[in-house]
Amino acid sequence: MIVRDQWYVAAFGREIGHDLFSRTICGESILFWRTAEGAVTAMSDRCVHRRFPLSQAPTRLVDDRVVCGYHGFTYDAGGRCVAVPGQTRVPRTARLRPYPVLEQDGFVWVFVGDPDRAAGTRVPRAPWLDSPDWTVVSGMEPLAARYDLLVDNLLDLSHETYLHGGYIGTPEVASTPITTEVDDDAGVVYVSRHMDDAECPPFYSRSTGLTGRIARWQDIEYTPPCLYLLHSRIAPVGSVPRPDGSDPDAFHVEVVYAITPETETSTHDFWAVARDFARDDEEVSAFIAEQNRTVVLQDVAALNVLETVVASEPADRQELSINIDTGGLAARRMLARLAAGDAAVAAPVAGA
Ligand code: FES
Ligand SMILES: [Fe+2]
C-alpha cells in the first residue's frame, strides 16, 4: 500500500546535476535535473507526444530546456512545452506534469499526489546530514520488496542479533526489552532500547576505539511514511549525559534511512550514517560506509526473500506478533491512517 499526498526522498542532492536523471517514485517515472542556477526541477519522464522517456538518449538538456530525442518537443524548467516540430503553434495542453520538489538536509524530496497538498504536508528533518559538525557516509540500495517490509525491519532492531551478528548485532540487542511511544498528534513513532552493559560490536569498537563493554542506546524516531532516524549513543559503561545535556564521554551516531516506494513491490533504501567522532579520519569513514552497506545488503537479501513469500500469500496472512513488534505495529497503524487521508498525521509539525 503506497501512501500518496506525501513527500518522499527521491535522491541525494549529489545525484542530480546538469544531466537528465530519472527515478521511479511511487510508480511514477520522474525526470530530475538542475537548472543553470542550481535549482532542482522535477517533471514527468514521459514526453506528451508519444511518451518517449525523456531521460533516454538522444534527449538533451540545452540551456535549461529538455529537447525530446524522438521528435524534438522542447520543454522549459517548469515542464511547459515551448516548441514542437513542423508548426509554430504549441498546443496549450502540452505540458509535462511538474512535481513539487525541494532540497533539504542533503536529500531531494518530491511530493507525490495532489500538488495542492504539498505546502501543507510536513517534510521531516535530518539536520546531521548537512551539518559542519558531523561527518556523513551514505548510499542507496535497491530493494525488491514492498516498503512496509522495510518499515517493519527498521522499527524492530532485535533482528540485529541474528541477521547482523558480527557487524552490529550482539546478544544484548535481542534480549533487552524496548519501550514504544506513539505520538498520534505529531505522527511519530518512538522505539527505545537502552543497553547499559553490552558487548561492543565490531561496527562500534573499530570506529570508536572503545574496548570492553559499553552502554549502547538506540532511540528510534520514525516519521511515516519516509523518514527513519536512529539516534545511537555509545559510551563506556556507567557514563550518562550530564545534567546540562552535554555528553562528552559518549560517541554519537545518527543513522538515517529514507524509505521510498519505487513501485508497489520495490523500494529505494536510502541510508546515511552521521558521526560526531573521528571526524576527519577517512579510514573510519571508509570502514563505517562499508560496514553499513553490508548491513543494509543483509536486510535487502532477507527482505527480497520475504517479498516472494508475502506476494504468494493472501493479504490476511497469519502473523504472530510479540513485544518487539509494538513499534512496527504502531507504524502500520499510522501508515493506514495516512493512506486513509487523516490530515492530523500529515500536517506540518511546529518547529520541524
Ligand atoms: S515522443 Fe517526444 S517528441 Fe515525439
Ligand atoms: Fe537490519
Side-chain angles (χ1 to χ4, degrees):
M1 168 195 60
I2 289 178
V3 180
R4 306 188 91 76
D5 294 337
Q6 293 293 325
W7 289 94
Y8 287 98
V9 169
F12 291 106
R14 64 171 182 263
E15 292 184 276
I16 299 178
H18 302 291
D19 295 316
L20 299 169
F21 175 91
S22 179
R23 188 159 275 158
T24 299
I25 309 291
C26 300
E28 301 183 19
S29 277
I30 305 179
L31 179 75
F32 298 90
W33 48 279
R34 227 175 252 284
T35 65
E37 291 200 334
V40 176
T41 66
M43 58 195 73
S44 167
D45 187 21
R46 294 290 180 268
C47 182
V48 297
H49 180 224
R50 288 294 179 266
R51 312 282 300 158
F52 190 74
L54 296 165
S55 53
Q56 298 297 311
T59 301
R60 291 173 304 137
L61 192 55
V62 183
D63 298 335
D64 283 352
R65 292 184 167 183
V66 179
V67 183
C68 179
Y70 194 178
H71 314 93
F73 273 48
T74 301
Y75 303 93
D76 69 13
R80 215 174 300 275
C81 184
V82 293
V84 296
Q87 60 185 62
T88 50
R89 195 185 69 81
V90 176
R92 227 173 1 99
T93 55
R95 185 177 187 188
L96 300 172
R97 179 184 164 189
Y99 288 80
V101 66
L102 64 86
E103 207 165 359
Q104 180 172 279
D105 303 327
F107 286 133
V108 172
W109 292 81
V110 69
F111 189 84
V112 177
D114 176 356
D116 289 342
R117 299 193 171 185
T121 305
R122 67 181 171 189
V123 189
R125 302 300 306 260
W128 314 275
L129 304 190
D130 195 17
S131 158
D133 301 326
W134 294 77
T135 299
V136 182
V137 293
S138 60
M140 191 278 272
E141 310 305 328
L143 173 68
R146 62 200 67 194
Y147 84 118
D148 11 340
L149 293 183
L150 183 55
V151 173
D152 259 5
N153 170 282
L154 289 170
L155 267 289
D156 162 35
L157 295 182
S158 63
H159 78 269
E160 287 183 354
T161 303
Y162 299 93
L163 198 54
H164 307 306
Y167 292 85
I168 53 175
T170 68
E172 295 83 7
V173 183
S175 64
T176 306
I178 52 164
T179 57
T180 304
E181 253 180 73
V182 181
D183 186 335
D184 276 319
D185 294 331
V188 180
V189 179
Y190 300 93
V191 180
S192 290
R193 174 182 275 114
H194 287 195
M195 296 163 269
D196 289 318
D197 184 356
E199 197 182 300
C200 192
F203 184 91
Y204 287 119
S205 58
R206 282 208 32 208
S207 58
T208 65
L210 278 180
T211 54
R213 296 182 68 82
I214 54 166
R216 181 180 182 190
W217 295 0
Q218 296 177 320
D219 292 287
I220 295 169
E221 185 179 345
Y222 173 50
T223 305
C226 190
L227 195 74
Y228 169 98
L229 309 174
L230 168 62
H231 312 290
S232 178
R233 175 182 183 273
I234 306 296
V237 171
S239 155
V240 291
R242 294 182 181 166
D244 65 2
S246 65
D247 195 13
D249 299 328
F251 299 82
H252 301 93
V253 173
E254 298 289 343
V255 185
V256 178
Y257 283 87
I259 309 162
T260 301
E262 178 186 42
T263 66
E264 290 282 351
T265 55
S266 60
T267 302
H268 304 297
D269 185 350
F270 294 93
W271 59 267
V273 181
R275 68 180 191 274
D276 68 351
F277 56 90
R279 296 220 16 239
D280 298 322
D281 191 326
E282 285 177 16
E283 238 172 81
V284 170
S285 290
F287 173 74
I288 289 182
E290 184 270 320
Q291 285 266 307
N292 205 69
R293 180 159 186 269
T294 302
V295 164
V296 169
L297 290 175
Q298 288 169 338
D299 284 324
V300 165
L303 296 181
N304 286 356
V305 169
L306 194 51
E307 173 62 35
T308 64
V309 173
V310 168
S312 70
E313 292 183 345
D316 62 349
R317 64 190 180 274
Q318 285 292 305
E319 290 182 326
L320 195 158
S321 297
I322 58 171
N323 286 343
I324 58 168
D325 303 306
T326 315
L329 293 174
R332 287 186 192 179
R333 279 194 298 276
M334 221 173 256
L335 285 167
R337 278 177 57 197
L338 282 179
D342 185 334
V345 178
V349 179

